[in-house]
């Protein structure tokens, strides 16, 4: 059923809204409520804030032999339970699971195995620290002392202090978010984060990036962390913070040629801290935060970080906050967009890394033995390198989306005739080339559908792909991806436009394809409306909103409708006067839509292009 919403003074609009829900399901709401009932001095929402920051509400147990529990490729100590508690900090992190066990009286085994006991043990320890420190339970802004006490993160120097404050920032940001307050059912404590962290530190903790100088790390014009223990100065990627790791080899023994995507198997803060541990013998060049895509650089690109064993010499490594098994709740579009922009910058340097040669297939389950990619694939996951046993970033990493963020679209070749032929770049007689990416749009004006029929098809199997979209952009629905010698046959794009994208790798070409297309026209009745040209739709393409200007239309508009490419009615306006009507379309996906005006002169249909 369509909802009726007030729109403008003289119109009523009905919309089907499909906004993406980015919240993470809290599977342990009953257990959290039980903990608050038992330990009422713990402010409601605090337990969820810690759990969201540490595990995204997952009860982590580390089952031996589980393919979805590969352990961290950095050797990061494992955490347990809904609250993400550390049992063995490897003489670097604090063993806060053991500490909380002693404070709460619950056994280590029960804290690990039972979600309820895991949460209640943390809550009991929290309430105990409040009492020991004499902290007012209602003064939430002072509870950072309790969170510090119960965290696994050590504070040894300015870098580990930054890591701990990154953890605290995530907790307090969760508590300060109105959407989370409503969704997870806790009050607005009216927290002032700049006061809690200090104005300067807040700006760096919350910023997507900062500026670096010879004297300080600067965020929004304010000095934040002094460089006393940050002797190296990076100019590799300006938007990233710089927190140096001691774990690296100076210089390179091989040219940089590959960018590697990792997941941390832990949190952003814990990774930054762990890379300060010389005993860990691990590091990466960059670390990224899930919630907002903040990036911290820890090793210069010109130096060798320690993240992929025998392959370190030629790789740049990027660690992403999260876990392989629950990547669907950690691998946010915000984080992917952030590091993709950085990878795009890396590709623009003199390393010779071609973004076209990024992996774009499905997420892989397994290690090298199942997921190995050829040397032609130069932006890929840890699991896709030779000689690796780890399985990150795993099946939830959206490689198809990542590819499109890394690669700027080439110029589109547009074919506007009602029918025609469609060949690969080699034409009807020659092979296509290596390392190609081309876009061809078949979009005859007024077409309601485009049908593409293949006469022949041959590409390098599994590596060179023709991708067909039902629409005008690569954000349109994918009809299919085709490779090898099996012909796609006959394909129809019902949107009235068909976009063909071809991608080839750096080796082995083939004959390509020969195809022809035909189209059908939209029947709009426009010829029967004498003043149809006086109806203006702008902007077109549109993004957030579209205006239908009826001021010059001499007839009467009885109804306005907007349909998507498969004929679903998304918007209905009734009894509109001849005026400018603004329609919000922020929830529309990229693609083609039909606007129908039912008037006293007949039916008028116009195409609307939405381009996000």
């Amino acid at each position: 059923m369509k909802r009726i919403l007030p729109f403008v003074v003289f119109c009523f609009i009905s919309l089907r809204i499909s906004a993406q829900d980015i919240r993470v399901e809290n599977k342990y709401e009953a257990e959290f409520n039980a903990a608050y009932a038992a330990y009422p001095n713990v402010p409601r929402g605090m337990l969820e804030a810690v759990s969201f920051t540490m595990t995204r509400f997952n009860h982590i147990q580390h089952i031996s032999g589980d393919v979805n529990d590969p352990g961290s490729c950095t050797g990061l100590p494992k955490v347990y339970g809904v609250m993400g508690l550390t049992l063995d900090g490897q003489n670097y992190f604090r063993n806060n699971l053991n500490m909380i066990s002693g404070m709460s009286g619950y056994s280590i085994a029960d804290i690990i195995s039972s979600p309820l006991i895991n949460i209640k043990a943390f809550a009991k320890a929290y309430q105990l620290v409040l009492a020991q420190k004499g902290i007012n339970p209602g003064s939430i802004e002072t509870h950072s002392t309790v969170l510090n006490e119960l965290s696994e993160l050590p504070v040894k120097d300015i870098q580990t202090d930054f890591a701990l404050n990154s953890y605290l920032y995530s907790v307090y940001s969760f508590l300060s978010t109105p959407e989370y307050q409503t969704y997870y059912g806790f009050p607005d404590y009216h927290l002032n984060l700049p006061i809690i962290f200090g104005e300067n530190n807040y700006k760096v903790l919350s910023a997507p990036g900062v500026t670096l100088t010879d004297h300080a790390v600067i965020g929004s014009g304010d000095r934040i962390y002094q460089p006393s223990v940050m002797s190296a100065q990076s100019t590799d990627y300006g938007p990233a913070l710089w927190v140096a790791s001691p774990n690296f080899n100076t210089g390179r023994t091989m040219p940089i040629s590959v960018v590697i995507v990792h997941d941390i198997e832990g949190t952003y803060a814990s990774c930054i801290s762990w890379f300060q541990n010389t005993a860990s013998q691990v590091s990466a060049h960059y670390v990224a935060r899930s919630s907002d895509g903040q990036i911290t650089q820890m090793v210069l690109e010109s130096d060798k970080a320690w993240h992929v064993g025998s392959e370190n010499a030629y790789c740049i490594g990027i660690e992403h906050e999260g876990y392989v098994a629950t990547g669907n709740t950690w691998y946010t579009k915000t984080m992917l967009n952030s590091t993709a922009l950085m990878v795009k910058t890396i590709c623009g340097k003199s390393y010779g890394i071609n973004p076209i040669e990024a992996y774009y297939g499905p997420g892989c389950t397994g290690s090298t033995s199942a997921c190995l990619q050829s040397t032609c694939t130069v932006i890929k996951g840890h699991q896709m390198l030779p000689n690796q046993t780890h399985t990150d970033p795993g099946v939830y990493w959206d490689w198809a989306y990542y590819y499109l963020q890394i690669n700027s679209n080439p110029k589109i070749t547009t074919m506007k005739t009602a029918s025609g032929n469609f060949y690969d770049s080699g034409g009807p007689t020659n092979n296509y080339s290596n390392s190609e990416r081309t876009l061809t749009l078949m979009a005859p004006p007024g077409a309601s559908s485009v049908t593409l029929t293949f006469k022949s098809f041959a590409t390098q199997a599994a590596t060179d792909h023709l991708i067909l979209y039902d629409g005008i952009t690569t954000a349109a629905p994918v009809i299919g991806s085709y490779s090898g010698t099996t012909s796609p046959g006959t394909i129809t794009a019902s949107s009235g436009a068909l976009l063909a994208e071809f991608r080839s790798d750096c080796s082995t070409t083939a004959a390509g394809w020969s195809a022809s297309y035909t189209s059908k026209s939209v029947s709009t009745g426009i010829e029967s409306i004498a003043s149809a040209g006086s109806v203006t739709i702008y902007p077109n393409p549109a993004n957030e909103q579209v205006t239908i200007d009826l001021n010059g239309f001499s007839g009467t508009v009885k109804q306005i409708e907007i349909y998507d490419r498969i004929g679903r009615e998304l918007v209905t306006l009734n009894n509109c006067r001849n005026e400018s009507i603004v329609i919000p379309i922020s929830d529309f996906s990229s693609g083609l839509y039909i606007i129908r005006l039912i008037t006293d002169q007949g039916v008028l249909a116009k195409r609307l292009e939405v381009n996000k």
Side-chain angles (χ1 to χ4, degrees):
M1 173 183 287
K2 291 182 290 184
R3 293 186 291 143
I4 305 297
L5 300 173
F7 186 34
V8 292
V9 176
F10 302 108
C11 297
F12 294 93
I13 183 169
S14 60
L15 292 167
R16 288 193 182 101
I17 300 197
S18 58
Q20 183 182 13
D21 187 357
I22 60 170
R23 303 180 188 92
V24 178
E25 179 188 2
N26 180 5
K27 300 183 288 290
Y28 300 101
E29 183 177 1
E31 287 82 353
F32 283 115
N33 287 335
Y36 289 124
Y39 307 104
N41 285 344
V42 179
R44 185 167 288 274
M46 183 62 79
L47 300 177
E48 289 90 340
V50 173
S51 177
F52 180 87
T53 298
M54 295 299 298
T55 70
R56 294 298 194 267
F57 303 128
N58 283 286
H59 183 60
I60 299 175
Q61 290 186 280
H62 300 294
I63 300 170
S64 178
D66 185 352
V67 69
N68 291 318
D69 182 25
S72 170
C73 59
T74 63
L76 190 73
K78 294 180 177 180
V79 300
Y80 292 85
V82 184
M83 305 306 291
L85 305 177
T86 297
L87 177 64
D88 178 10
Q90 299 181 37
N91 298 314
Y92 184 78
F93 285 166
R94 292 184 292 167
N95 300 331
N96 64 338
L97 193 156
N98 308 55
M99 176 181 66
I100 287 171
S101 172
M103 295 174 71
S104 67
Y106 292 108
S107 71
I108 289 174
D110 286 344
I111 291 173
I112 290 175
S113 63
S114 167
L116 175 61
I117 292 177
N118 190 275
I119 295 168
K120 289 183 74 174
F122 187 92
K124 186 174 182 179
Y126 195 104
Q127 183 160 292
L128 182 61
V129 175
L130 279 174
Q132 290 174 343
K133 303 287 186 182
I135 298 171
N136 181 354
S139 300
I140 314 300
E141 64 277 2
T142 66
H143 286 210
S144 58
T145 300
V146 184
L147 293 167
N148 290 347
E149 186 86 7
L150 299 180
S151 170
E152 84 283 8
L153 298 174
V155 176
K156 302 174 181 292
D157 47 38
I158 196 168
Q159 291 99 327
T160 50
D161 176 79
F162 169 74
L164 179 61
N165 275 279
S166 294
Y167 161 71
L168 297 175
Y169 171 78
S170 294
V171 171
Y172 277 110
S173 292
F174 180 95
L175 291 170
S176 300
T177 301
E179 291 79 6
Y180 289 154
Q181 294 163 9
T182 301
Y183 189 71
Y184 297 113
F186 60 89
D188 182 359
Y189 295 110
H190 304 288
L191 298 170
N192 188 320
L193 270 59
I195 290 178
I196 293 173
F197 293 101
E199 186 72 30
N200 290 349
N201 280 355
Y202 169 73
K203 287 179 179 177
V204 116
L205 290 166
S206 62
V210 297
T211 302
L212 304 174
T213 74
D214 291 336
H215 306 292
V217 180
I218 297 177
S220 301
D222 296 306
R223 291 185 179 184
I224 310 300
Y225 290 98
Q226 297 302 315
S228 57
V229 290
M230 297 186 196
S231 55
Q233 180 62 57
S234 169
T235 56
D236 284 339
Y237 185 61
L241 291 101
W242 170 253
V243 179
S245 168
N247 302 334
F248 68 94
N249 293 111
T250 302
R252 296 274 188 169
T253 57
M254 296 176 66
I256 296 169
S257 58
V258 174
V259 175
I260 300 301
V261 170
H262 298 270
D263 95 313
I264 293 169
E265 289 300 302
T267 66
Y268 175 72
S270 65
C271 186
I272 292 171
S273 184
W274 185 244
F275 285 173
Q276 302 306 315
N277 179 16
T278 55
S280 73
Q281 293 290 288
V282 289
S283 62
H285 294 91
Y286 297 98
V287 184
R289 186 161 63 194
S290 170
S291 61
D292 58 4
Q294 187 184 76
I295 298 173
T296 293
Q297 183 176 12
M298 305 198 70
V299 176
L300 295 173
E301 291 175 11
S302 58
D303 291 332
K304 183 173 76 173
W306 304 338
H307 56 111
V308 283
S310 60
E311 313 305 308
N312 282 325
Y314 59 90
C315 296
I316 292 175
I318 309 170
E319 292 282 352
H320 295 79
E321 186 175 34
Y323 294 83
V324 165
T326 55
N328 57 324
T329 61
W330 289 95
Y331 301 160
T332 63
K333 288 290 191 293
T334 300
M335 181 168 67
L336 268 64
N337 291 344
S338 177
T339 63
L341 181 60
M342 180 174 67
V343 172
K344 196 171 184 177
T345 302
I346 291 170
C347 291
K349 298 181 181 181
S350 59
Y351 304 138
I353 299 174
N354 189 344
I356 288 174
E357 293 164 4
Y359 180 75
Y360 55 84
C364 187
T365 300
S367 60
T368 292
S369 57
C371 304
L372 181 66
Q373 293 295 312
S374 75
T375 55
C376 275
T377 305
V378 297
I379 301 168
K380 51 191 170 184
H382 185 172
Q383 60 193 154
M384 299 171 185
L385 281 168
N387 308 312
Q388 306 302 309
T389 59
H390 292 280
T391 62
D392 60 307
V395 69
Y396 289 114
W397 190 266
D398 192 342
W399 286 106
Y401 178 84
Y402 205 59
Y403 180 96
L404 292 174
Q405 307 318 301
I406 293 169
N407 284 280
S408 298
N409 282 342
K411 183 179 179 180
I412 297 176
T413 299
T414 302
M415 306 169 74
K416 294 185 177 181
T417 56
S419 62
N421 294 318
F422 172 47
Y423 302 105
D424 61 274
S425 63
T429 57
N430 297 321
N431 287 7
Y432 58 81
S433 301
N434 286 323
S435 300
E436 272 193 16
R437 184 169 183 242
T438 61
L439 290 172
T440 304
L441 177 64
M442 287 152 270
S448 61
S449 65
V450 175
T451 298
L452 184 63
T453 302
F454 285 84
K455 302 170 187 176
S456 63
F457 188 85
T459 67
Q460 184 186 7
T463 60
D464 298 351
H465 294 83
L466 180 65
I467 306 168
L468 302 179
Y469 302 88
D470 193 349
I472 60 174
T473 72
T474 53
V478 175
I479 297 173
S481 179
Y482 307 94
S483 183
T485 57
T486 301
S487 173
T490 299
I491 302 294
T492 297
S494 58
S495 68
L498 190 153
L499 180 66
E501 177 183 10
F502 180 61
R503 305 173 185 174
S504 63
D505 73 354
C506 70
S507 69
T508 309
T509 65
W513 62 87
S514 172
S516 61
Y517 76 90
T518 58
S519 61
K520 291 183 179 180
S521 298
V522 176
S523 178
T524 66
I526 191 168
E527 296 82 359
S528 66
I529 302 178
S531 58
S534 61
V535 176
T536 306
I537 296 175
Y538 65 89
N540 195 0
N543 189 328
E544 295 297 320
Q545 62 185 34
V546 63
T547 298
I548 302 175
D549 188 350
L550 302 174
N551 286 297
F553 184 62
S554 61
T556 300
V557 177
K558 300 176 180 178
Q559 186 166 290
I560 298 175
E561 303 163 344
I562 300 181
Y563 293 86
D564 67 9
R565 66 180 185 85
I566 61 174
R568 292 179 301 183
E569 186 178 354
L570 305 180
V571 176
T572 301
L573 288 77
N574 295 305
N575 303 317
C576 292
R577 295 186 180 180
N578 287 21
E579 57 190 1
S580 291
I581 301 169
V582 180
I583 302 176
I585 58 169
S586 58
D587 293 301
F588 286 22
S589 301
S590 293
L592 291 178
Y593 296 80
I594 298 295
I595 299 178
R596 295 180 74 243
L597 288 79
I598 301 172
T599 80
D600 59 346
Q601 298 181 12
V603 177
L604 168 65
K606 287 182 176 285
R607 294 202 327 178
L608 168 67
E609 178 183 336
V610 176
N611 193 356
K612 297 294 188 182

